[in-house]
Amino acid sequence: MSSTEQEVGGAEPQTDWERIQGSPEFTDLRRRLRVFVFPMTALFLLWYLLYVLLADYAHGFMSTKLFGNITVGLVFGLLQFVSTFVITGLYVRYANRRLDPVADEIRARIEGEPGR
């Protein structure tokens, strides 16, 4: 009987990938990812919702000219793009420091196992 057949009836994972996914290291990696992604997503969606609501309900404010033909609405619209790039940069920095080292350890352990 193979180890896979033995594991089918038991509580242990059936494949190597399920075993890896259930490991404490992988669980920690997912937690670290979620700690960044969920709050940042919520923050960006709130910022975007604010922009949409202001554009729809605060016409006077959004059409306020700052200088020349540049309005508050145009600046807020451009800041949507800026915030996307800032979030991307923050994620790359966070991933390099907090996610990639753990992922590299997991990958090294998997690739270093005999029979791979």
Side-chain angles (χ1 to χ4, degrees):
M1 183 182 288
S2 72
S3 63
T4 302
E5 291 171 348
Q6 289 174 345
E7 292 171 357
V8 170
E12 292 191 32
Q14 296 178 9
T15 64
D16 288 343
W17 292 111
E18 288 173 334
R19 179 178 51 80
I20 293 161
Q21 184 180 6
S23 72
E25 295 87 2
F26 193 81
T27 302
D28 180 55
L29 181 62
R30 282 190 317 219
R31 182 194 59 76
R32 289 177 186 215
L33 176 68
R34 290 176 181 152
V35 160
F36 181 88
V37 170
F38 290 155
M40 193 59 68
T41 300
L43 182 66
F44 180 78
L45 288 175
L46 287 172
W47 160 237
Y48 181 71
L49 181 62
L50 174 68
Y51 172 67
V52 170
L53 290 173
L54 287 173
D56 196 30
Y57 296 108
H59 296 276
F61 173 68
M62 294 296 269
S63 63
T64 302
K65 291 190 177 198
L66 299 175
F67 51 92
N69 287 329
I70 306 299
T71 64
V72 171
L74 180 62
V75 171
F76 273 28
L78 292 174
L79 286 174
Q80 293 293 315
F81 291 101
V82 171
S83 64
T84 301
F85 289 114
V86 168
I87 290 169
T88 301
L90 291 172
Y91 175 76
V92 167
R93 192 172 110 198
Y94 181 81
N96 286 338
R97 291 180 179 185
R98 305 275 297 152
L99 302 177
D100 292 348
V102 176
D104 290 343
E105 279 181 32
I106 293 170
R107 183 176 46 249
R109 193 179 75 229
I110 293 167
E111 292 173 351
E113 289 180 359
R116 299 244 177 256

